[in-house]
């Protein structure tokens, strides 16, 4: 039965439809995998086995009648503990949030769509406090370990979701991406993640990080992500910035291949980023595979200067707003790094903020023009592989903040473009490497199509099951 934990959501739905296995069996397998791996990983802050098995039994009856509720009826899923889920407290990794502080009677839009489609909720996954950084640890819940080496970070801020998917604790998870926060842990944990075009997946409550923050799928592969996108992109009146309906299912776009696509390959942003040679080699092989599949690959740099200060102004101002209402005693409970960036964020002026907005808009124009020449931009997801858990930056790196080692991800939160991480190999320590695919705004289907082509071509085959599962 535990082998069900290793199946994709697409395969699970096919099995439910054929009667090969049941949603209850799939839920039990996922819960067993959680019980087996959780002591080493700390991927979940809450698991509700009774509720999951109850929902799975209801799904099993619907499948028996031939009346599934939706596209993912019976599929085990997890939800990052930033997003609201009815009946479960959302702590956001903070000791300043108390379980009894509200009724917790509302779903976030993407969670509501999963519920409507019959998904089986396993639990809530770990996040750094208020999702503020690119690794997953918090004073409330501790650090999340990497399934390939629990002593190393899973990345963040959706590290719990990435670890859960990697070990088979449900093939689908919802994460949030403000500066690479689904792609960073996907790259470190050897899974797939998509940051959709901003507004493609409705969000509520609105993120304090404004239009930097995206809700996105974290899955076993691109086909599962397309399936999940077909569920969670439905409209929701609570998000005034949501985009209109898509023209057709994302699943229908998967089979187009990459032949003829104009692909810009930027290995290091024009020499600006120092990339580990093992990472560079694995990503280069993925790029070569795109060329073998018929893509017109050209080494080309997008040419922008590092927008990190503009990103910091917007990001740190947002997190300062999150804690603005807290008194001195509650502030003392915060992650020390979070307190530091909140102080910095509170010191920015309105003119500083607007200057950052100007830089962001100029970057968006530059990337819009870049994509007139190229359908896709390909880069490493990260320049390094996973480092020590519990640290914001690699020891001895000289960096002060997480943005120092994520130069390939946060620029595309500023521009609101769709971007995905595809596993493409491992380093000599067995740690996963990811390749990032970026398209112009609204090109989510193109990103999924190219990612699916890489999966079909076996690019991800070299990333085997995590040792925490094999052991």
């Amino acid at each position: 039965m535990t082998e069900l934990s290793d199946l994709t959501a697409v395969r699970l739905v096919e099995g439910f439809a054929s009667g090969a296995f049941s949603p209850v069996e799939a839920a039990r397998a996922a819960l067993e995998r959680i019980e087996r791996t959780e002591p080493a990983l700390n991927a979940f802050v809450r698991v509700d086995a009774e509720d999951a098995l109850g929902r799975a039994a209801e799904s099993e009856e619907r499948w028996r009648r031939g009346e599934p509720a939706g596209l993912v009826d019976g599929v085990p899923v997890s939800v990052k503990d930033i997003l609201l889920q009815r009946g479960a407290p959302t702590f956001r990794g903070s000791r300043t949030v108390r379980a009894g502080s509200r009724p917790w009677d509302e779903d976030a839009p993407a969670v509501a769509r999963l519920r409507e489609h019959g998904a089986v909720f396993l639990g809530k996954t770990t996040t750094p406090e208020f999702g503020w950084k690119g690794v997953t640890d918090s004073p409330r819940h501790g650090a999340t370990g990497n399934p390939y080496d629990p002593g190393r970070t899973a990345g963040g801020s959706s590290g719990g979701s990435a670890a859960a998917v990697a070990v088979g604790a449900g093939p689908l998870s919802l994460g949030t991406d403000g500066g690479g926060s689904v792609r960073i842990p996907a790259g470190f944990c050897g899974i797939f993640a998509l940051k959709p075009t901003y507004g493609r997946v409705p969000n509520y409550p609105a993120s304090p990080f404004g239009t930097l923050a995206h809700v996105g799928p974290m899955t076993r592969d691109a086909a599962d992500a397309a399936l999940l996108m077909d569920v969670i992109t439905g409209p929701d009146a609570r998000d005034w910035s949501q985009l209109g309906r898509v023209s057709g299912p994302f699943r229908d776009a998967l089979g187009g291949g990459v032949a003829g696509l104009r692909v810009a390959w930027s290995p290091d942003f024009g020499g600006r980023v120092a990339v580990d040679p093992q990472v560079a080699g694995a990503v280069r092989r993925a790029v070569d595979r795109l060329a073998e599949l018929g893509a017109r690959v050209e080494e080309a740099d997008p040419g922008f200067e590092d927008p990190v200060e503009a990103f910091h102004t917007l990001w740190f101002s947002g997190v300062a707003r999150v804690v603005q209402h807290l008194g001195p005693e509650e502030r003392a409970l915060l992650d020390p790094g979070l307190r530091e960036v909140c102080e910095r964020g509170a010191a920015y002026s309105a003119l500083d903020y607007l200057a950052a907005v100007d830089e962001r808009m100029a970057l968006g124009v530059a990337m819009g023009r870049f994509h007139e020449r190229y359908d896709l931009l390909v880069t490493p997801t990260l320049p390094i592989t996973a480092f020590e858990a519990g640290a914001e930056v690699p020891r001895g790196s000289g960096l002060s903040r997480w943005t120092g080692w994520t130069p390939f991800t946060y620029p595309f939160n500023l521009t609101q473009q769709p971007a995905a991480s595809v596993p493409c190999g491992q380093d000599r320590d067995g740690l996963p490497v990811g390749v990032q695919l970026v398209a112009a705004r609204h090109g989510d289907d193109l990103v999924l199509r190219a990612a699916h082509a890489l999966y079909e071509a076996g690019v991800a085959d070299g990333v085997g099951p995590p040792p925490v599962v094999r052991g």
Side-chain angles (χ1 to χ4, degrees):
M1 185 178 297
T2 55
E3 292 181 357
L4 293 180
S5 296
D6 300 321
L7 297 184
T8 64
V10 170
R11 289 284 307 281
L12 285 176
V13 171
E14 290 172 350
F16 299 156
S18 69
F21 41 77
S22 74
V24 170
E25 290 174 319
R28 285 176 177 160
L31 291 167
E32 187 278 336
R33 191 62 65 86
I34 293 171
E35 184 177 2
R36 179 175 161 192
T37 60
E38 190 57 10
L41 296 183
N42 189 33
F44 285 83
V45 302
R46 183 180 188 271
V47 176
D48 192 336
E50 182 179 357
D51 181 72
L53 290 172
R55 293 185 185 281
E58 293 171 357
S59 172
E60 188 167 314
E61 175 59 21
R62 290 192 294 269
W63 279 108
R64 188 193 65 78
R65 298 195 309 264
E67 299 173 352
L71 296 177
V72 292
D73 200 343
V75 176
V77 302
S78 58
V79 176
K80 182 180 179 181
D81 195 37
I82 289 289
L83 298 168
L84 296 181
Q85 181 182 330
R86 194 171 75 223
T90 300
F91 292 114
R92 298 183 172 89
S94 181
R95 291 186 289 176
T96 67
V97 179
R98 293 170 176 80
S101 62
R102 58 187 298 176
W104 309 109
D105 57 358
E106 193 169 22
D107 284 328
V111 178
R113 301 294 87 76
L114 280 169
R115 192 184 299 276
E116 291 168 4
H117 281 257
V120 172
F121 295 109
L122 298 170
K124 302 296 286 290
T125 57
T126 46
T127 175
E129 195 162 21
F130 301 116
W132 80 273
K133 59 183 175 180
V135 293
T136 298
D137 61 73
S138 71
R140 182 172 195 130
H141 294 124
T144 297
N146 190 301
Y148 288 84
D149 180 349
R152 306 208 190 203
T153 182
S157 60
S158 303
S161 289
V165 171
V167 300
L172 305 178
S173 191
L174 289 178
T176 60
D177 191 312
S181 318
V182 299
R183 289 159 290 151
I184 294 167
F188 279 171
C189 293
I191 69 163
F192 180 80
L194 170 70
K195 177 188 76 68
T197 300
Y198 179 80
R200 177 54 62 209
V201 179
N203 193 22
Y204 172 86
S207 170
F209 302 113
T211 56
L212 291 174
H214 308 58
V215 176
M218 306 185 73
T219 62
R220 303 296 292 269
D221 60 18
D224 270 10
L227 174 66
L228 186 50
M229 285 287 283
D230 284 340
V231 172
I232 64 177
T233 52
D236 192 292
R238 294 172 294 175
D239 184 352
W240 62 271
S241 63
Q242 66 181 308
L243 299 177
R245 292 183 182 274
V246 294
S247 59
F250 286 99
R251 289 164 294 159
D252 288 355
L254 292 177
V258 297
L261 290 183
R262 302 165 299 168
V263 175
W265 157 229
S266 182
D268 53 15
F269 276 172
R272 184 160 56 80
V273 180
V275 179
D276 181 285
Q278 295 176 78
V279 171
V283 175
R284 177 76 236 197
R285 289 189 289 275
V287 173
D288 289 344
R289 197 74 185 99
L290 286 172
E292 292 167 5
L293 293 171
R296 293 153 47 194
V297 177
E298 175 184 343
E299 188 166 326
D301 174 46
F304 54 76
E305 296 296 320
D306 188 355
V308 67
E309 289 307 318
F311 180 82
H312 281 171
T313 300
L314 301 172
W315 190 256
F316 296 166
S317 296
V319 79
R321 174 63 175 162
V322 172
V323 305
Q324 186 178 28
H325 68 287
L326 299 180
E329 291 185 3
E330 289 181 304
R331 284 176 179 262
L333 300 175
L334 297 174
D335 180 333
L338 176 60
R339 287 201 301 271
E340 290 177 13
V341 300
C342 286
E343 290 172 4
R344 185 170 167 184
Y348 290 124
S349 69
L351 291 178
D352 293 331
Y353 193 94
L354 291 173
V357 171
D358 286 344
E359 185 172 346
R360 179 185 191 179
M361 290 191 292
L363 179 61
V365 170
M367 287 308 301
R369 289 174 173 163
F370 183 82
H371 282 289
E372 288 182 328
R373 302 191 303 276
Y374 300 103
D375 300 303
L376 288 173
L377 169 65
V378 180
T379 75
T381 302
L382 296 159
I384 57 175
T385 51
F387 53 89
E388 179 185 2
E392 184 184 347
V393 300
R395 194 178 300 277
S397 66
L399 300 173
S400 59
R401 295 268 80 95
W402 61 273
T403 44
W405 52 269
T406 61
F408 295 113
T409 59
Y410 62 77
F412 306 112
N413 291 75
L414 288 166
T415 60
Q416 303 185 352
Q417 294 172 246
S421 180
V422 179
C424 63
Q426 293 175 294
D427 69 5
R428 65 173 62 96
D429 293 324
L431 298 170
V433 174
V435 57
Q436 179 177 235
L437 310 177
V438 185
R441 289 181 74 245
H442 311 290
D444 307 75
D445 55 344
L446 183 58
V447 170
L448 288 167
R449 170 179 146 197
H452 184 64
L454 287 175
Y455 274 99
E456 292 284 285
V459 167
D461 291 351
V463 183
V468 74
V469 172
R470 296 199 302 265

